[in-house]
Each structure stands twice: as structure tokens, then as C-alpha cells.
Amino acid sequence: MLKKLKLRRSHALIFGGITIIGMVIWLWLSYQNKQKWPQTFGYGKTATQQDITKWDIDVRPDGKGLPEGSGNVADGAIIYTNKCAACHGADGKEIKGVKLPGPPLVVGGGKTKTIGNYWPYATTLFDYVRRAMPYNVPGSLTNDEVYSLCAWLLNENKIIKANQIMNARTLPKVEMPAQKLFIVDDRKGGPEVK
């Protein structure tokens, strides 16, 4: 009995000693870190209002954020051929047996999710293309070019007619076939989950 009590006491002393040593090391490192860290590391620069404005280009489902400009299907076809087809194929459909760098954009024979069968809002198309395409020079397209690409892609997906003009007024009115597949998250009173 006395032997067991001595053993427990020695374990408690060892555990307590390790804890105290650990805390001392942690406090010492915290103090050292505060003493050595500079105010800045010399990387980057403080963003100006002009920098922030350049990247504050989001477009909402209702069209808020869409810029001035317009585009049509015919111009979009030319732009697509010159700036998009290298990655997405000549008609935006996935070619069987050929792995494209970019996914198919137009509804084809398969069940792959595309703009035409999966995207809920047409305005998202503008936001994404302007922000991320073409792959090698994202953000290089003019607003008119982006509107024209949206028009061409929506027409190729049989969502709009070939004579429709896309702009800040018409694009938000395009009803995407997949919109009914999405449920608006309107839960309240808890953490926001999107």
C-alpha cells in the first residue's frame, strides 16, 4: 500500500514538473516572439481605394453590380472562337475521348453539369467570365466582350434566341432552367450557412 502511494506521488510530481517546464518555455517563447517581430515584413503594400475598387466587381443574382455595355450572339461566337475554344472545344461541348483543360459549357449528350443545365442565375455567368476568363489572361475581356460571350453561351444552351442582346437590363431577366433545382437558404436565428 505504501509502495503504491509513493508511486502515485512520484507520477504526480513528474507530471507537475513537466507541466511547469512546458508553461515556462511557452511564456518565454511568447515573450521572445513579441520582442523580435517587426511591424511589417516588407511584403506587399497597403491596398488603395483604387486597388479595392478594381477587385470589387461582384455581380449578384438580381444583376446588381453589372456594368454598362452590351453584347450579342454573333460577336460572342467570334470571341469564343478566338479566346475560349482552345480550352473548351469548338462548340463548348466535351469531345468524347479528349480531356479538355476546361469543362464543357454547352449541354451535350451526357449528364455533365453545364451552364445550361446547372447554373441557377445568368448573372453568375457574367461575373465568372469577367473575373476568371480566359484562363491565361483573366480579367482581360471588355464588358462588351463578356456580354457577348454570355449571349453566345446562353444561345448555344438554347436558353435565349440568337437575336437577343445581353446587357445589365436583359441578363438578369434570363430564366435559367436549373433555377428551380436550387432552394434559397432562408434559415434565421442560427449560424449562416451558404
Side-chain angles (χ1 to χ4, degrees), residues 185-193:
D185 183 1
D186 59 354
R187 291 175 289 175
K188 293 182 172 58
E192 188 173 323
V193 179

Side-chain angles (χ1 to χ4, degrees), residues 63 66-70 147 165-174:
L66 282 170
E68 291 298 316
S70 66
Y147 277 120
I165 302 296
M166 289 294 106
N167 55 41
R169 290 177 305 286
T170 58
L171 189 60
K173 294 178 181 173
V174 173

